[in-house]
Amino acid sequence: MPRDLHPGQRSELYTLDVDSGQRELIATSAELLFEAPNWTSDGEWLVINGGGKLYRVAAAGHDDLVPIDLGDIPAINNDHVVSPDARTVYVSSEDGHIYAVPVEGGSIRRVSNDHDAFTYYLHGVSPDGDTLAYIGMQRHVDGLVTTNVFTIPSAGGADVQLTDDEFADDGSEFGPDGKWIYFNSERASSTPGHAQLFRMRTDGSGTEQLTFDERVNWFPHVSPVGDRIAYVSFPPGTLGHPADVEVIVRLLEVADVAKGASTHRDLVTAFGGQGTMNVPSWDATGRRIAFVNYAAE
């Protein structure tokens, strides 16, 4: 079900220059809880969801939210990505499927396949636009629920499973070179909920751990330039990626990772978590990210 704001709470959509630290408030609402900003590749628009619907707002700010027609798709969640050509938004619906939605209107197409007790949670699109990366949540007959990393052609086709284990995985997203998929996972910890950041090659091989700290790290977003990873860091002991907690948006330098280091820089503290930055959130220049804060009136 779509989330609602608490009494006295408002949604605030910001852009942030990661070098200067300059923030700009793009949109705010005390009525609509909006989440998960994407940029279009031309830098003109930000795409967000709210109330089960999809909107775009001018990145220059201070304009109304413009609805994107979802046709008869059931309510969507905060897992959506914009195609590299900015003509299509791929969305995850509450019916468990992925749909391709033309930004300017037109025929909507279901991408995903039918599986028993299976839900698609979309997180990434490849740089060439041909492949989607998603988390498949499977409910097994013995009651076990698993979340694994999959890909599927954006035009529709066979699902490809890249991980097959009982570790909690999420946030699978392509790097800009198309050679790696970045994700968060609990695979390196014996403590439930202690997610860290990882990457693996697009065939599922060569998994590498990227963060090694006491906080709970989610949703790695690699800049279009490929030099930085922005992510959401939850307090130690957090289970999952809940809403209404104080989180830190952090920056990891890819060059440091290549040297075996895992240094980070705190960009901003936000109140939220769920909805703050679930999906690819960089502009095409690799200078700015977008995030949502849920402030009290």
Side-chain angles (χ1 to χ4, degrees), residues 58-278:
H62 313 300
D63 288 333
D64 293 335
L65 303 185
V66 179
I68 296 175
D69 184 14
L70 294 178
D72 296 328
I73 297 176
I76 66 165
N77 55 39
N78 58 23
D79 297 326
H80 45 79
V81 297
V82 182
S83 65
D85 63 9
R87 297 173 62 185
T88 303
V89 184
Y90 297 98
V91 302
S92 293
S93 168
E94 295 292 347
D95 68 359
H97 285 287
I98 296 173
Y99 295 86
V101 178
V103 173
E104 299 292 347
S107 179
I108 295 172
R109 172 176 53 86
R110 198 182 88 177
V111 176
S112 50
N113 301 304
D114 287 318
H115 303 288
D116 290 336
F118 189 92
T119 303
Y120 288 76
Y121 291 102
L122 175 66
H123 281 277
V125 59
S126 60
D128 60 11
D130 289 345
T131 308
L132 304 178
Y134 72 91
I135 297 298
M137 186 172 73
Q138 178 77 52
R139 297 169 181 82
H140 301 269
V141 293
D142 60 1
L144 178 68
V145 177
T146 56
T147 53
N148 281 291
V149 179
F150 292 76
T151 60
I152 188 172
S154 59
D159 301 280
V160 177
Q161 186 167 356
L162 300 182
T163 63
D164 186 8
D165 52 58
E166 297 181 11
F167 301 115
D169 298 330
D170 211 333
S172 50
E173 188 174 312
F174 285 93
D177 60 5
K179 297 179 180 179
W180 296 91
I181 290 177
Y182 294 75
F183 63 107
N184 57 269
S185 176
E186 297 179 22
R187 65 190 55 232
S189 176
S190 59
T191 303
H194 193 69
Q196 295 293 306
L197 305 186
F198 295 81
R199 70 176 183 177
M200 62 183 169
R201 298 200 177 274
T202 53
D203 63 0
S205 66
T207 301
E208 301 176 359
Q209 188 170 348
L210 305 178
T211 59
F212 301 84
D213 58 87
E214 75 286 353
R215 293 182 64 87
V216 178
N217 300 319
W218 279 70
F219 304 132
H221 307 310
V222 188
S223 77
V225 182
D227 59 342
R228 294 160 163 172
I229 303 170
Y231 62 100
V232 181
S233 184
F234 289 82
T238 303
L239 297 178
H241 55 296
D244 299 322
V245 297
E246 188 174 274
V247 297
I248 304 170
V249 177
R250 285 182 162 175
L251 196 68
L252 191 66
E253 298 289 343
V254 172
D256 291 341
V257 172
K259 297 174 185 176
S262 183
T263 57
H264 62 262
R265 176 162 60 91
D266 293 351
L267 295 177
V268 67
T269 298
F271 187 75
Q274 176 71 291
T276 290
M277 202 175 70
N278 295 58

Side-chain angles (χ1 to χ4, degrees), residues 272-289:
Q274 176 71 291
T276 290
M277 202 175 70
N278 295 58
V279 291
S281 303
W282 287 93
D283 76 345
T285 69
R287 289 178 44 245
R288 292 180 295 172
I289 60 171

